[in-house]
Amino acid sequence: MVELYVVRHGETDTNSEGRINGMSTNKPLNETGKKQVEELAKEMNVDQFDEIYTSPLSRAVQTARILDKGLHPIIIEEPRLYETDYGTWDGMSEAKITKEHPEAMDENGFLYPNFVNYAENAEDYDSVYKRVEDFVAEMQTKGDAKILAVCHGFISRAIFKVVTGIPDISTVVQPDNAGVSKYRLTKEHRYVLYYARTKDIM
């Protein structure tokens, strides 16, 4: 069976400023984010992982490298782990969007799927679910392996959705920055062991 650990990247300035942080927003970790990941590294035995995957965005790659501490010669940059492309809303103030398009934002401050009706050149959620499903399905074929995947807030939620089969992603909040979720995968089944922890990881 596969043990899959899914890590959301550390904080960026876009996060701290309350802005939409998608595929086109490619800022590095800020100092708080670096400290969050360094603290998470103390909770993890990264040498136990057989493979490390990361979104190609700089905030995720940086998180993966801090966690890895140079132990793995290859960290695989995986396009299926890119954050959602929010199109023209990438980098916009969440407060501004809530004010101008309240019907597109839920009460937890996350975008409803209908945001694509307002944001130009955005990626719809079904497209995200498809690439995330492809990634999880591939991980199920890895046999006995322990795998680390560093990604983003919505991708963490999307992985939870495709593992559990819940119909409405709005019922799942995203992990905090540097939050970890753990899944057990076999060829036939998928299990959630925990979601959005920052302590008691391994």
Side-chain angles (χ1 to χ4, degrees):
M1 67 181 177
V2 172
E3 290 186 349
L4 176 64
Y5 292 75
V6 177
V7 178
R8 185 186 176 203
H9 62 80
E11 185 184 89
T12 68
D13 287 344
T14 315
N15 294 136
S16 64
E17 293 166 1
R19 297 181 179 276
I20 300 295
N21 203 22
M23 186 188 294
S24 300
T25 308
N26 199 19
K27 290 189 175 182
L29 302 182
N30 59 23
E31 290 305 311
T32 296
K34 292 175 186 176
K35 291 177 182 176
Q36 290 170 335
V37 180
E38 288 165 357
E39 287 301 308
L40 177 59
K42 297 175 184 177
E43 297 284 326
M44 304 185 80
N45 298 318
V46 74
D47 58 307
Q48 294 183 9
F49 290 104
D50 298 292
E51 292 182 313
I52 298 179
Y53 292 82
T54 181
S55 157
L57 292 175
S58 61
R59 56 192 183 269
V61 173
Q62 193 175 1
T63 297
R65 288 176 177 166
I66 293 171
L67 292 174
D68 183 55
K69 304 174 186 176
L71 291 174
H72 291 78
I74 298 175
I75 294 176
I76 302 165
E77 294 191 18
E78 172 52 70
R80 290 172 293 185
L81 296 178
Y82 268 121
E83 181 59 298
T84 307
D85 187 347
Y86 297 109
T88 53
W89 279 13
D90 249 329
M92 284 185 62
S93 164
E94 294 170 359
K96 177 180 173 65
I97 291 172
T98 301
K99 182 178 180 180
E100 296 182 355
H101 297 283
E103 68 280 10
M105 189 80 78
D106 70 23
E107 63 184 356
N108 290 306
F110 303 128
L111 294 175
Y112 282 123
N114 70 352
F115 86 95
V116 296
N117 298 330
Y118 310 102
E120 297 178 9
N121 302 315
E123 180 182 21
D124 66 77
Y125 283 177
D126 285 343
S127 175
V128 180
Y129 302 149
K130 182 180 185 303
R131 58 183 168 90
V132 167
E133 168 62 34
D134 287 347
F135 176 76
V136 173
E138 182 181 329
M139 296 304 102
Q140 287 183 268
T141 70
K142 294 287 185 175
D144 291 326
K146 188 169 289 190
I147 296 170
L148 177 65
V150 181
C151 57
H152 306 272
F154 187 81
I155 301 305
S156 295
R157 296 169 70 202
I159 290 173
F160 185 90
K161 184 182 189 303
V162 303
V163 167
T164 62
I166 60 166
D168 183 5
I169 200 165
S170 296
T171 62
V172 182
V173 298
Q174 70 185 10
D176 291 336
N177 290 111
V180 184
S181 304
K182 182 179 179 181
Y183 302 92
R184 179 177 296 149
L185 308 174
T186 68
K187 289 183 178 180
E188 295 83 18
H189 300 289
R190 302 168 176 182
Y191 304 94
V192 181
L193 298 186
Y194 61 75
Y195 184 75
R197 285 187 186 177
T198 55
K199 299 287 185 182
D200 300 322
I201 303 302
M202 303 295 285

